Amino acid sequence: FLPMAVVNPTYPAWEKDARDMIAAGFVGFEMAPIYHGYSLAPEMLYDEYHAKHRAKWVFDLAEELDVPVRICSGFERVTILAK
């Protein structure tokens, strides 16, 4: 297993935390836009804010640090019932 650092580019200190996690041994970044409440796609035809600013910041840092980015497209809820 290879540890991926989950980054949330809507969090103000995400870049510092992301750099610290890579320095600590994480091998790449994981983005969870649905979970963290942001979009990778423009919300309107000419609105490129989400796609360009949220994702691009992470992609630029990943390129600088030469690490991969994984994008999580959803979560599955699992319920475990105790006996």
Side-chain angles (χ1 to χ4, degrees), residues 31-76:
M31 298 175 71
I34 295 171
Y35 182 78
H36 288 129
Y38 64 92
S39 174
L40 298 177
E43 290 184 357
M44 294 178 276
L45 184 59
Y46 298 105
D47 177 14
E48 296 182 355
Y49 177 77
H50 289 87
K52 280 193 172 181
H53 293 88
R54 301 284 190 219
K56 188 170 183 331
W57 295 334
V58 177
F59 298 146
D60 288 347
L61 182 60
E63 182 178 26
E64 175 188 326
L65 299 175
D66 195 29
V67 297
V69 176
R70 179 178 179 264
I71 300 173
C72 180
S73 61
F75 289 93
E76 184 173 327

